[in-house]
């Protein structure tokens, strides 16, 4: 069998993964269309990371995860309108993949990767792993972001699989209630505080021990932790350069400290992605979720950080255009400010806006000409989380501060801030950013 598509609940997908492995040819692929499943308290029960983990254990090669918005959303902690396509192969080296069949039209030839002649393909730009087709006015202005229905998604999968009639479709989608969000607005949005009332503090040491912070005083933890075996700052003891098992042990210490420091109505937000290492998938989000649940956190859902631009990839895959933000709370009944979340407008389609898809671009790799940081996430990403999950005057924590983005966003919103950064070499970068972006703010550096 060349292609198998399964659109169903988690348990049905899990069974199909086991039943279908021997049916696939060496060139074959299986596509599992997944929705996050929740209990009555909006805690995640099953997600697509579990599907990937199950598939890897069976013997499938993991290729990619495609995301797309659905017209039907779940009234959960983060208003979930995301569907996931887990793309698996029997043998990644032999699988069939027709990229040309799903290429998208170039409409920004002068401002994106396509402007580089060597990367420009007259058949269309490289398709990415976020499926939101667009309509435009013929002058490089998007007029509509299109939501694909299941039929449209399945057609795309069949087109890129190049399987002809050699496929099996198991289409048993779960239908969700499509009603307005009903969560309480638990947070205030105005304050009499000024920037001069606030404190900002940076500790240059490991966040595996945060005894500097009083327990149950932090309202929000927002961070992007170091990936395993990716970036070496050549400082002995940094997290990420040890074995993977030890990496998880150390990262667990950080999340345990965060749990202790959070207020009872506090929340933890982790920007992370799946990592490939020597053609092997490192399912860091799955392991982080497992660790956080062991600590006592409630796993509430996933935000999609959609990056419209992306780096061209090889002919056997899609351009990587998204990352994940995992949401956890210290107690099961913590609410967000839904009015703020529903105000986010990134797409020319109000059915997509105000939910779990956030289209926020970033400049990759550096700030200015002198100081370099490999993974700067945008202020807007942190700003939205802090707005939704905290009040002015609350304390925000980033245990992996990096270039200081979380501090900048928090101060600009009238929040207090504490950050930890193991590599003191980032201090000049922080100072240069703070001088420009929050010029009247006093930041205490503690080494």
């Amino acid at each position: 069998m060349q292609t198998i598509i399964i659109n169903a609940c988690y348990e049905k997908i899990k069974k199909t993964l086991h039943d279908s492995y021997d049916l696939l040819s060496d060139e074959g692929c299986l596509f599992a269309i997944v929705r996050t499943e929740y209990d009555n308290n909006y805690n995640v029960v099953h997600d697509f990371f579990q599907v990937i983990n199950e598939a890897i254990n069976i013997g499938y090669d993991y290729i990619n995860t495609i995301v797309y918005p659905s017209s039907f959303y779940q009234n959960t902690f983060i208003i979930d309108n995301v569907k996931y396509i887990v793309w698996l192969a029997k043998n990644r080296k032999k699988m069939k993949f027709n990229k040309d069949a799903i290429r998208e039209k170039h409409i920004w030839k002068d401002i994106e990767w396509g402007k580089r002649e060597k990367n420009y393909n007259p058949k269309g730009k490289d398709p990415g792993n976020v499926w939101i087709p667009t309509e435009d006015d013929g002058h490089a202005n998007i007029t509509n972001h299109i939501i694909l229905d299941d039929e449209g998604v399945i057609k795309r999968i069949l087109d890129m699989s190049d399987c002809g009639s050699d496929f099996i479709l198991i289409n048993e989608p779960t239908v969700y209630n499509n009603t307005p969000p009903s969560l309480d607005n638990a947070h205030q949005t105005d304050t009499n505080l000024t920037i001069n009332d606030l404190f900002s503090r940076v500790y240059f040491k490991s966040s595996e021990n945060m005894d500097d912070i009083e327990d149950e005083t932090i309202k929000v933890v927002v961070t992007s932790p170091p990936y395993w075996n990716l970036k070496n700052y050549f400082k002995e003891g940094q997290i990420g350069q040890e074995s993977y098992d030890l990496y998880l042990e150390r990262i667990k210490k950080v999340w345990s400290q965060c749990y202790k420091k959070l207020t009872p109505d506090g929340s933890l937000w982790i920007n992370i992605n799946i990592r490939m290492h020597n053609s092997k998938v490192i399912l860091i989000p799955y392991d982080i979720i497992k660790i956080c649940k062991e600590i006592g956190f409630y796993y509430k859902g996933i935000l999609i950080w959609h990056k419209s631009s992306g780096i061209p990839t090889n002919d056997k895959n899609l351009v990587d255009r998204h990352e994940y933000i995992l949401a956890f709370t210290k107690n099961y009944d913590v609410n967000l400010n839904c009015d703020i979340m529903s105000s986010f407008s990134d797409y020319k389609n109000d059915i997509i806006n105000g939910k779990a898809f956030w289209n926020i671009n970033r400049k990759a790799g550096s700030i200015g000409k002198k100081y370099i940081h490999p993974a700067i996430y945008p202020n807007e990403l942190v700003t939205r989380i802090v707005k939704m999950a905290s009040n002015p005057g609350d304390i925000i924590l980033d245990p992996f501060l990096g270039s200081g983005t979380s501090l900048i966003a928090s101060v600009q919103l009238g929040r207090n801030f504490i950050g930890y950064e193991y590599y003191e070499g980032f201090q000049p970068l922080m100072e240069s950013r703070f001088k420009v972006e929050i010029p009247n703010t006093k930041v205490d550096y503690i080494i």
Side-chain angles (χ1 to χ4, degrees):
M1 184 59 59
Q2 176 66 36
T3 300
I4 298 174
I5 303 172
I6 169 72
N7 180 17
C9 67
Y10 172 78
E11 292 298 337
K12 179 70 173 181
I13 290 172
K14 181 179 177 181
K15 183 177 186 303
T16 302
L17 289 175
H18 286 270
D19 294 345
S20 300
Y21 185 77
D22 291 334
L23 295 177
L24 278 177
S25 67
D26 286 346
E27 297 178 337
C29 290
L30 184 147
F31 298 86
I33 301 175
V34 186
R35 290 210 73 157
T36 305
E37 298 175 14
Y38 300 85
D39 65 19
N40 292 333
N41 290 317
Y42 304 151
N43 302 308
V44 175
V45 178
H46 297 300
D47 65 14
F48 79 98
F49 295 120
Q50 295 172 3
V51 173
I52 298 172
N53 185 67
E54 188 73 28
I56 292 170
N57 290 336
I58 293 169
Y60 290 92
D61 285 344
Y62 170 75
I63 308 301
N64 210 321
T65 297
I66 303 158
V67 296
Y68 66 99
S70 171
S71 298
F72 294 91
Y73 52 84
Q74 303 179 79
N75 289 325
T76 57
F77 181 69
I78 56 171
I79 314 178
D80 184 359
N81 65 333
V82 185
K83 297 190 81 170
Y84 306 83
I85 307 169
V86 177
W87 178 9
L88 307 164
K90 188 72 169 284
N91 186 322
R92 71 168 61 248
K93 294 181 179 180
K94 296 182 179 181
M95 72 174 192
K96 284 188 175 181
F97 172 47
N98 185 357
K99 180 181 289 189
D100 289 343
I102 59 168
R103 284 189 182 274
E104 302 167 11
K105 184 176 69 170
H106 284 289
I107 65 171
W108 304 297
K109 286 192 293 185
D110 296 329
I111 59 173
E112 64 170 312
W113 288 97
K115 71 181 180 180
R116 302 184 182 185
E117 186 174 350
K118 67 178 182 179
N119 292 324
Y120 181 73
N121 189 319
K123 295 179 181 178
K125 64 181 179 180
D126 277 359
N129 59 6
V130 178
W131 283 3
I132 307 179
T134 60
E135 295 174 342
D136 66 275
D137 62 1
H139 301 284
N141 298 306
I142 292 176
T143 58
N144 185 28
H145 287 94
I146 300 168
I147 297 177
L148 293 173
D149 58 17
D150 286 346
E151 183 178 348
V153 167
I154 291 167
K155 182 182 184 304
R156 270 199 172 199
I157 293 172
L158 293 174
D159 287 344
M160 77 180 200
S161 299
D162 202 18
C163 63
S165 60
D166 188 17
F167 70 91
I168 294 174
L169 171 62
I170 303 170
N171 195 17
E172 302 175 9
T174 304
V175 177
Y176 297 94
N177 183 25
N178 188 23
T179 57
S182 58
L183 298 178
D184 294 334
N185 294 327
H187 303 286
Q188 301 298 316
T189 57
D190 57 357
T191 180
N192 293 321
L193 286 174
T194 65
I195 286 180
N196 293 330
D197 297 314
L198 306 176
F199 68 81
S200 298
R201 194 174 303 142
V202 178
Y203 293 95
F204 286 102
K205 61 181 181 178
S206 173
S207 52
E208 293 167 274
N209 184 327
M210 293 189 275
D211 285 347
D212 313 280
I213 304 174
E214 185 179 346
D215 290 353
E216 297 193 346
T217 57
I218 301 296
K219 188 60 174 289
V220 172
V221 179
V222 56
T223 194
S224 182
Y227 285 81
W228 174 72
N229 198 29
L230 183 60
K231 183 64 178 178
N232 189 351
Y233 296 111
F234 302 101
K235 180 177 179 181
E236 185 178 354
Q238 74 175 77
I239 293 177
Q241 295 302 305
E242 58 284 281
S243 69
Y244 187 62
D245 287 343
L246 183 54
Y247 166 81
L248 293 178
E249 287 181 20
R250 296 186 68 189
I251 214 84
K252 183 174 183 177
K253 291 179 181 178
V254 177
W255 306 140
S256 296
Q257 287 287 299
C258 292
Y259 186 85
K260 286 177 60 179
K261 305 308 173 184
L262 279 170
T263 59
D265 60 347
S267 57
L268 166 66
W269 305 78
I270 302 172
N271 170 217
I272 196 71
N273 208 346
I274 297 169
R275 169 141 162 71
M276 300 298 294
H277 179 66
N278 294 331
S279 298
K280 179 182 178 182
V281 62
I282 309 298
L283 205 53
I284 301 176
Y286 175 85
D287 291 321
I288 285 179
I289 292 164
K290 183 179 178 181
I291 285 169
C292 286
K293 290 171 71 174
E294 288 173 354
I295 291 168
F297 282 105
Y298 291 87
Y299 174 31
K300 307 302 286 190
I302 308 167
L303 291 170
I304 301 298
W305 172 17
H306 175 195
K307 300 174 289 184
S308 295
S309 59
I311 299 173
T313 187
N314 60 60
D315 289 336
K316 283 284 191 177
N317 215 324
L318 300 169
V319 177
D320 188 11
R321 289 203 174 112
H322 72 266
E323 295 182 23
Y324 309 105
I325 303 168
L326 310 178
F328 302 89
T329 58
K330 192 167 183 177
N331 284 295
Y332 74 90
D333 57 351
V334 176
N335 291 334
L336 297 178
N337 191 322
C338 290
D339 286 345
I340 289 177
M341 185 171 187
S342 62
S343 70
F344 302 146
S345 182
D346 302 320
Y347 300 93
K348 300 289 185 179
N349 188 326
D350 286 339
I351 298 176
I352 306 175
N353 288 327
K355 303 178 183 69
F357 266 91
W358 291 358
N359 188 2
I360 305 171
N361 267 326
R362 73 174 179 191
K363 292 182 179 179
S366 67
I367 292 180
K369 297 180 179 179
K370 187 175 181 181
Y371 303 114
I372 303 296
H373 187 280
I376 295 171
Y377 58 13
N379 285 29
E380 178 66 16
L381 196 70
V382 182
T383 295
R384 293 184 180 192
I385 292 169
V386 172
K387 276 185 175 181
M388 292 191 308
S390 71
N391 299 316
D394 285 337
I395 306 174
I396 312 302
L397 168 67
D398 187 340
F400 301 104
L401 183 56
S403 68
T405 298
S406 298
L407 187 152
I408 293 168
S410 299
V411 168
Q412 289 174 338
L413 292 171
R415 272 67 166 175
N416 296 289
F417 185 86
I418 299 174
Y420 282 77
E421 175 50 54
Y422 189 68
Y423 181 54
E424 63 273 10
F426 283 148
Q427 184 173 346
L429 170 56
M430 292 182 193
E431 291 175 340
S432 67
R433 293 191 67 191
F434 300 162
K435 184 178 180 180
V436 173
E437 299 182 60
I438 46 172
N440 298 319
T441 301
K442 180 180 181 296
V443 178
D444 296 318
Y445 301 98
I446 303 169
I447 299 177

